[in-house]
Every structure is written in C-alpha cells, then in structure tokens.
Amino acid sequence: MIFKETDAVPYSLSPVSTAPDVWVFAPHPDDEVFGCGGALALHVQRGARVHVVLMTAGEQQSGESTGVRLAESEAAAGVLGYATVLCWHLPDRGVAFSEQLVERVMACLADTPTAVVYAPSLWEAHPDHRGCALTVAEAVRRSGGVRELWFYEVSAPLRANALVDVSGVWALKERAMTCFASQEAVLPYSDYIGALNRYRALTVLPQGHVEAFERYPADGLAALAIDAPAQAMRRHGVPAVPADLPLVSVIVRTMGRTSLVRAVASVLAQTYSYIEVVVVNASGHVELPADVTAIDAVRVVSAGVQLGRSDAANAGLHAARGAWLMFLDDDDWLYPDHIAKLVRAQWKKDGVVGYYSDVECLDANGDKTGTVFAQPYSPDELVYGNFLPIHSVLFDRRVVDGGAQFDPAFDLYEDWDFWLQVERMGRFERVPGI
C-alpha cells in the first residue's frame, strides 16, 4: 500500500453540517470560540440553532470571579450571532469522564436527534479538555441518531479529516476572540489561534483561514482509530479514547459486618473514578449501614434470603454493569491506585482476560504481617494452588458472558474454582505493585 499525502491531511474543503441543531461542549469559556468559532458563525448564517455548554467557568487560570469569563463568552456569542450559553460550573481542572457527566450530555442531546456536536479533541493537553472530549464522544456514541461529532483543536493539533474555510467569517472570529481580555492578559491566545487557522489552509487555500476538525458519525465512534499518538498518550498514563476508561464494577458480598463501611470507602477513594459498587446483601435481612446505602455510586442487591458465598457472587455478576469486574470482600480494602493501574494495563488490548496486582496481608490493627502475594503468572499454575486473592484481580466481563460463574457446590475455594474457569478463556497478567 502506498501512503499518500491525502492519507494524512485533507486536500479539499468540507462544508459545515446542515443539521438544524448545533451543540458545542467547551471545558472553559473561550474554547468554543478558539476551537470552532468560525464554524459556529457559518452555522448561524445557515439558520441553525446553536447551543453552547461551558463545563466550567474557568475561574482558576485568570484568578477572576466566575462571572468574568462567562461574561466574555456571552459577549463573543453576541459577536458570532448565537445567544445560548449555559455553564455547568464544574470545578476548573475537575472535568472527569464519568457516568453522571455522560448522562448529563446525553440529556442535552435527547431532543435533537439530527445534530452536529462539537467537542475538544482527544489529543488536547489540558485534562479538562480530555475529560470533556471523552465524555462527549461516549454520549454521542450512545445517543446515536443522525448526529455527527466534530472534534476541534485548541492547544494541540488533531488528525484532521475535515477542513472548513472560515475566511468569510474570519473578521467575526477575530472580534469574538478579542472578547476574552482576561485570557489575552495571560497569553496572546488569539495570535496563536490565528496562526493555527492560517497554517491549516496549507493544503486547501493559498490565502485565508481554515478550522480543522476530526469528524465522526455517531455509529463510527465505537471504532475510533488507535494510532501512534494514542499509544504515546497511553505511555504517559493518559487515556486516549473512551474505551480506555471502561466502567469498572466492584462487587462486595456482605453479611452486614461493620467492616463493610471501610471496604466500600476504599473503593470510593480510588484515583480511577469510573466505578460502580455492587453490594450484595447476602444476609437477606440485615439492614446495611446508611454510610453505604446513601452513596450514589453504590447499588444494593438483595434477594431477601440468605445466600451462600457462590450464590452471592453470582448475584453480583448478574447485577454488575461494568465492562471490567472485580470482587472485594467486606473485610478487605484497596489502596487508592489499585484499579487505576489495572485499567491502564488493559490498554494494550492484547487478549488478557484478567489482570492482578500484588497483595499484602495486615492484621486487625492494620499492621503488616509480612505475608505478600507477588507471584508471576505462569499458565496452568493455578491448578496447583490459588495465588490470586479475590480482590487483586480485574477481569473482563466477557468471561462471564462466556459462561464463567461461581459453582454453588463450593462454599470454600469458590474463587479458586472461578479463576480456573476464567483461565480456560484466556490468560492472566501480573501488574506489579501492592
């Protein structure tokens, strides 16, 4: 196969979408204008309804009150010709990919099945930009319909597959960018964006300005290309596409012991945030502590009867919604980086069905006993003994879909039997670290 220039960057212009509704999701006030202000002006000229959602008020960088940058965005909206600017007031530098935020974006899109949606690209440097990009990509994928997602660039180049000529509205974009005086006082952002938009005309226009986008239909988001830039991001511990941040279900079987509160607290303290906790009330009748049941991320499963260890585990597997699963006994707990390091390990997409960490044993006072499980993986060694404490393992839910389950005939070593079933479907991999 011969690689051509057109495989790397377009050599022809693309029109903006003719969709009647345009949604723009920006992590901070000004990103919507710097990234796609020219395209928005073109949408307005076509008569589209433009809806802008600012996830934060961006108060951290300028040190100003939240109203300063919001007023600047509203002024820029007046220049470009749209009126709707909504701010969700999430914490600046706190826009994180989560189920709650995905559903909030989906609620915005629900009444506009034919729409073009703009979001910062997945290659942006700022964590709020990446969090916004991952969230909107997942929301558009799930929402489907006649929707397109157009990633825009602000602080990092993207892999352009659409170039839009904004020369005819460039004066409007320039005026809109000057509205952000608080940001211009920090750095000459409008000058940088002007240079970027001029550079993007390289392959399509001898003069003028162009905005570059990475465009996907809703049904094409499940297969976002994973290429060298994505791998480079992963090497630095940065998620590149929504699939890099799967929902993880942590299943906790309990008879209502007081240690349950601490176990659940250790899950909620994880540095990886896309988590649900499925608490299986195996006692059937014991009322669980309000410290557990009142938490939004916790779902309680109860059959109303006492369950054995295997039946309780299967109830948790049935209720879990995550793409990756793990168990936590109610008298154990996790260090805050446990799930994050296991999730990062599965970015390799190399067919491993279960990742496990090392485990150390503590006594009732929390003091180390000196016992550590840190065994390298060797195929079939599980036949000789179980070296996988149950809460050390993150496993692919596809093994459950493939038939792996806990055997009710076991009320001891039931996890050992389960891991043997899992190993028949693929291999495990050790991720060093307690």
Side-chain angles (χ1 to χ4, degrees), residues 143-206:
S143 299
V146 189
R147 297 184 179 91
E148 283 191 340
L149 175 59
W150 289 49
F151 290 119
Y152 56 79
E153 58 187 1
V154 178
S155 62
L158 49 67
R159 305 171 305 174
N161 61 9
L163 299 176
V164 174
D165 181 5
V166 297
S167 303
V169 292
W170 182 247
L172 286 176
K173 180 168 179 175
E174 281 193 307
R175 282 176 51 205
M177 289 193 294
T178 63
C179 293
F180 298 98
S182 68
Q183 300 311 287
E184 289 292 299
V186 178
L187 284 172
Y189 288 105
S190 60
D191 187 42
Y192 298 148
I193 296 299
L196 176 64
N197 292 164
R198 180 71 193 100
Y199 163 74
R200 283 302 192 179
L202 174 68
T203 58
V204 288
L205 291 174

Side-chain angles (χ1 to χ4, degrees), residues 54-374:
L54 307 174
M55 292 195 167
T56 80
E59 66 275 10
Q60 183 164 312
Q61 174 160 334
S62 66
E64 304 284 351
S65 67
T66 58
V68 171
R69 294 186 67 180
L70 293 181
E72 292 171 346
S73 270
E74 290 168 357
V79 171
L80 296 176
Y82 57 88
T84 304
V85 177
L86 173 66
C87 184
W88 286 351
H89 292 281
L90 298 179
D92 197 354
R93 301 191 74 86
V95 179
F97 183 59
S98 68
E99 184 67 14
Q100 292 83 356
L101 195 55
V102 170
E103 290 178 353
R104 194 170 183 181
V105 173
M106 290 177 66
C108 290
L109 305 179
D111 295 328
T112 53
T114 302
V116 58
V117 183
Y118 289 94
S121 88
L122 293 164
W123 318 122
E124 289 286 311
H126 195 292
D128 284 350
H129 289 222
R130 296 195 305 271
C132 180
L134 290 163
T135 297
V136 176
E138 177 64 6
V140 174
R141 183 192 71 80
R142 290 194 210 173
S143 299
V146 189
R147 297 184 179 91
E148 283 191 340
L149 175 59
W150 289 49
F151 290 119
Y152 56 79
E153 58 187 1
V154 178
S155 62
L158 49 67
R159 305 171 305 174
N161 61 9
L163 299 176
V164 174
D165 181 5
V166 297
S167 303
V169 292
W170 182 247
L172 286 176
K173 180 168 179 175
E174 281 193 307
R175 282 176 51 205
M177 289 193 294
T178 63
C179 293
F180 298 98
S182 68
Q183 300 311 287
E184 289 292 299
V186 178
L187 284 172
Y189 288 105
S190 60
D191 187 42
Y192 298 148
I193 296 299
L196 176 64
N197 292 164
R198 180 71 193 100
Y199 163 74
R200 283 302 192 179
L202 174 68
T203 58
V204 288
L205 291 174
Q207 301 294 328
H209 291 81
V210 166
E211 288 178 345
F213 301 95
E214 191 173 347
R215 175 180 60 192
Y216 292 94
D219 60 4
L221 288 169
L224 277 176
I226 300 173
D227 62 5
Q231 298 295 359
M233 291 175 72
R234 293 191 182 98
R235 282 196 298 272
H236 287 87
V238 176
V241 295
D244 288 342
L245 291 173
L247 177 63
V248 173
S249 298
V250 182
I251 301 166
V252 183
R253 301 170 291 178
T254 185
M255 296 295 286
R257 292 189 288 183
T258 57
S259 56
L260 172 66
V261 173
R262 187 176 190 183
V264 171
S266 78
V267 180
L268 301 178
Q270 293 297 297
T271 57
Y272 186 82
S273 61
Y274 199 24
I275 293 172
E276 68 164 4
V277 186
V278 179
V279 176
V280 181
N281 188 348
S283 70
H285 304 290
V286 172
E287 186 172 338
L288 302 181
D291 289 349
V292 170
T293 58
I295 300 170
D296 289 340
V298 174
R299 290 190 295 122
V300 177
V301 175
S302 181
V305 297
Q306 185 167 323
L307 299 175
R309 293 172 61 85
S310 291
D311 287 329
N314 287 331
L317 292 175
H318 179 74
R321 296 181 295 210
W324 288 82
L325 315 174
M326 66 183 305
F327 283 93
L328 177 64
D329 286 343
D330 68 0
D331 60 344
D332 292 328
W333 64 88
L334 312 175
Y335 287 145
D337 65 334
H338 179 59
I339 294 178
K341 69 173 177 276
L342 295 178
V343 168
R344 284 197 299 268
Q346 63 88 34
W347 289 351
K348 298 188 297 295
K349 314 293 183 189
D350 54 2
V352 173
V353 297
Y355 296 88
Y356 68 96
S357 71
D358 302 338
V359 171
E360 65 183 0
C361 297
L362 311 179
D363 62 21
N365 297 319
D367 296 323
K368 298 179 182 180
T369 66
T371 300
V372 174
F373 291 81

Side-chain angles (χ1 to χ4, degrees), residues 2-34:
I2 299 175
F3 183 83
K4 304 182 295 295
E5 292 96 328
T6 52
D7 295 324
V9 63
Y11 272 66
S12 60
L13 292 165
S14 297
V16 294
S17 169
T18 59
D21 284 280
V22 177
W23 284 94
V24 187
F25 293 91
H28 314 105
D30 71 16
D31 293 321
E32 77 281 13
V33 174
F34 292 158

